[in-house]
Structure formats: C-alpha cells, structure tokens
Amino acid sequence: MTHPLLFPHRSRWIIAPFAFVVVVAALWSAFWFYAANAATAGIAEWRAQEARLGRIHSCGSQTIGGFPFRIEVRCTDAGAELRNVDPPLAITAKDVLVVSQVYQPNLLIAEITGPLTIAEAGRPVSLVAGWTLAQASARGLPAEPQRLSLVIDGLRLDRAMTGASEALFAADRVELHGRLDPGSMPGNPVIDLAAHLAAATAPVAGAIGARPLDADVTAILRGLKTVDLQPLRVQLRQLQAAGGTLQITAARLQQVDTTAHATGTLSLSQRARLDGTLRLTVAGIEPFLARSGLDKLLPGPGPDGTSVGGLSSLAPILGGLDRLVPGLSDVARNHANASTLAAGVALLGERTELDGKAAIALPLRFSDGAASLGPIPLGQTGPLY
C-alpha cells in the first residue's frame, strides 16, 4: 500500500512537465504575436518607403496567419502604381502570399497568383500574364537584399486587344537570379546574375521566335553604388556614370539543331546605348537560316542584271564573297538558299567547334548602339533610358 505522504511528490513529477509545456507554449504564442505585429509594422514601413520612390502598393484585403512557426501575409486583389516611370503604369494580381519562418526572418518567399495585368494609368489593360506557378524569394534586409530569385512555370504573356488577345511570349519555365557577391566592397557591390529559359517562344518574332528556345545565361554586373530598389532608369544612369559593365561569362542558346554560345562585356555609352563586343559561336547555322527565311531575302538578279529585292544588310556578305573570289557573289545571287548564305557567313567568320560540331565564330559588336555581326550591320539599338 502506497504511503499517503508520497502522493504529493508523485503529483509534482506529473504536473511539472505539463506546466513547463504550458509556459513554453504561452511564451511562444506571445513571441509569435510579437513577430506578427512587427511584420505588420515592417510592411507599413516598406510601403511608405516605396511610396517615396513613386511606387504605390495596395491590397483589397490583407490578413496575417501561419501560427505557430510561420508568418504568412496574404494580399488579395494586389495592386501597384508605378508613378516613377513614363508613362505611369498600373499593375494588378489576383493574390500575393508572402511567407517567412519565425526562426528565419531574413528569408521571404512569395507566391503570386495570376492573372497579372499591366496598363498605363487610366487606360485599358495592355498586357496580361498568366502562369501555373510563380514564386519569388528574397534573402537579406529589404534595403540591402543579398539574394533575389524569381521562378515562373507555364508563363504566357499576351497583348490585350479588343475582343481578342495576341500571344507575345510563352515559356515552360523562366528563372531569374541575382546574388550579391560576398567579396564585394561596401559602396561598390558586385552582383552575380543568372537566367534560365525552357521552351521559350515569341510568336510575334516570326518564324525564328515560333520554335522553342532554351537559354542559360550567367553574368557579373559591376558599377552600381547600391542594391536598393531604385527606378531602373536611375540605376542605369548611375551605372553609366560609374563606367559599369555587364560581363557575360557564359550565354548558351539552343533551338532545335542550332546551338549558340556567347561571352563578352557590355557597357553603356554617354547616349545610353550599348557598347561592347560579344564573341558569338554558332553551330548549325544553316538550318537556322532555313527556318528564319533569310535566304529568301538574298538579293537576286533583275532583268537588266542588277540586284533587286533582298535586305541591304546582306550586302556585306556578298561583298565579302567577291573579295575572296571575284564573281562569287553572282553565284550566290543566282543560287540563293540557306546553304549559300551559311557558306557566305562561314567565309566571313572563323571556323571552330561547339559541342563537337562544326561551328562559326563571329564578333557581335555594339558601338554607341550600332550593332553588327562581323562585317554585317544589323541596325541601330535605341537608348536604354
């Protein structure tokens, strides 16, 4: 038989763990509500900061949940007015959910529910974007992010038209990543950039854009003074004034049986146009030219023997053929096809290999916006700001 005096001692052993759990739960609940209130204040401060920069953010309704281990902020009927761009833009999304772990507050993960619409302020919607999944993440403080990422699956971008829409761009997957190099000096950040496209198409670009394209690009951006979210034109002006550069360490594009690889460095001229040179190596250029239809635009002989039709930008290829073998351009005109055009480009470029296949290397140059591929002028690019 148990002695009565022992019962209180056993009760304490039973009650003590339970009381400890209750105290810990109460403290954790208090901490969560404190963190939730801090998140609410942080969002308000961020909105005020964005408003000072000309970006007005709004929610039809905003809720906070996620207890006990997460802070979840949901914004339905999300909207943003970008008054710092010309013309001002209005952007809307159906729903935005931002999640942060209580024990890891410097990592934010957002999920955006479409459709997303873009319109000039006070005008009808001009662009509509949809997707199956869109997620963004940010690590670091809002004023000084260390890493930003955006991943979109099943992206489709359409131009809104009266009673219809026009497909502009689509991709199975889009990835954009930016990371502050840990070795960067204060006031002189170096940013590592990466982009990935899977099965991307742009029907408005014609036959070339209609075929799916895969792309992987890595680059290093130097010259920015800060990494805060200033208007793009302000950042580009600062980049040009500081002599900033975009070093493309590797860019690989694959479309059907054509592969292209590029490396080089680009900068901005005083007129805000592109400067720099990329070394472009292409394997499978002949099927690419056949798909693009450029061979059909090769100048042909007219009734009086002079060239008619075609693109003036192809004239350097024909001139280059004549410099190599006099009269060879006439053969090209009379037998215009993708093979002829590819042979002309090959003669003007450097023969090499890419992925074990025969390839052609040409410099893609930009001089104050004037673009040329080897000796072939491609046209003038406009200012970036």
Side-chain angles (χ1 to χ4, degrees):
M1 181 176 180
T2 303
H3 196 281
L5 294 178
L6 296 178
F7 182 74
H9 179 71
R10 290 181 176 178
S11 298
R12 284 195 297 271
W13 278 104
I14 296 173
I15 295 174
F18 177 75
F20 176 77
V21 170
V22 170
V23 171
V24 170
L27 292 175
W28 183 263
S29 298
F31 172 73
W32 185 90
F33 282 105
Y34 170 80
N37 289 332
T40 302
I43 292 171
E45 181 180 351
W46 173 76
R47 282 182 174 168
Q49 178 184 347
E50 286 286 282
R52 289 192 292 270
L53 295 174
R55 298 187 289 258
I56 312 300
H57 300 271
S58 63
C59 295
S61 64
Q62 177 178 299
T63 58
I64 294 184
F67 181 83
F69 299 113
R70 306 198 304 180
I71 302 294
E72 297 180 355
V73 180
R74 183 178 295 275
C75 173
T76 57
D77 297 326
E81 294 181 36
L82 306 184
R83 300 176 181 175
N84 60 338
V85 298
D86 187 23
L89 296 177
I91 302 174
T92 65
K94 182 179 180 180
D95 187 89
V96 177
L97 174 65
V98 181
V99 178
S100 173
Q101 304 293 341
V102 173
Y103 50 82
Q104 201 175 19
N106 65 336
L107 174 61
L108 299 177
I109 299 175
E111 184 170 320
I112 306 101
T113 302
L116 181 144
T117 65
I118 301 176
E120 294 183 20
R123 303 195 65 179
V125 171
S126 57
L127 295 175
V128 179
W131 50 77
T132 56
L133 178 66
Q135 289 185 330
S137 64
R139 183 182 292 275
L141 300 176
E144 297 183 359
Q146 299 172 353
R147 183 190 295 267
L148 296 173
S149 295
L150 176 65
V151 178
I152 306 176
D153 290 334
L155 174 63
R156 180 181 172 90
L157 179 63
D158 297 330
R159 178 187 289 119
M161 303 171 66
T162 303
S165 63
E166 180 185 17
L168 298 179
F169 180 81
D172 287 352
R173 188 173 180 87
V174 176
E175 295 185 27
L176 303 174
H177 305 279
R179 181 183 72 95
L180 182 65
D181 192 315
S184 297
M185 301 296 292
N188 188 25
V190 176
I191 303 173
D192 298 325
L193 301 172
H196 170 73
L197 294 177
T201 58
V204 292
I208 296 177
R211 294 292 187 98
L213 171 76
D214 295 334
D216 287 283
V217 182
T218 57
I220 301 173
L221 181 64
R222 297 182 175 89
L224 289 179
K225 295 303 179 183
T226 62
V227 293
D228 54 353
L229 298 178
Q230 298 183 75
L232 180 60
R233 66 175 183 273
V234 174
Q235 292 180 325
L236 290 176
R237 285 197 187 100
Q238 293 178 352
L239 191 69
Q240 191 280 326
T245 60
L246 178 67
Q247 178 188 356
I248 299 176
T249 55
R252 181 183 176 86
L253 293 81
Q254 178 80 45
Q255 187 183 58
V256 195
D257 47 3
T258 301
T259 305
H261 185 271
T263 60
T265 301
L266 300 174
S267 60
L268 290 174
S269 69
Q270 291 185 349
R271 297 200 304 161
R273 290 169 166 84
L274 286 176
D275 268 332
T277 301
L278 301 178
R279 176 180 169 84
L280 181 64
T281 304
V282 183
I285 191 169
E286 183 177 329
F288 173 79
L289 293 173
R291 289 193 300 272
S292 66
L294 287 177
D295 58 304
K296 304 299 189 297
L297 300 175
L298 195 65
D304 58 353
T306 60
S307 295
V308 297
L311 293 177
S312 61
S313 63
L314 298 179
I317 297 180
L318 302 177
L321 295 179
D322 276 336
R323 287 193 297 271
L324 291 168
V325 179
L328 189 56
S329 65
D330 291 333
V331 177
R333 290 187 180 97
N334 292 323
H335 303 279
N337 54 45
S339 298
T340 302
L341 191 54
V345 174
L347 289 171
L348 299 177
E350 175 188 345
R351 292 184 179 275
T352 184
E353 285 191 358
L354 181 62
D355 297 340
K357 300 178 181 179
I360 302 165
L362 286 169
L364 176 60
R365 296 188 179 93
F366 297 91
S367 179
D368 194 24
S372 62
L373 182 61
I376 309 170
L378 300 179
Q380 180 75 36
T381 62
L384 297 185
Y385 60 84

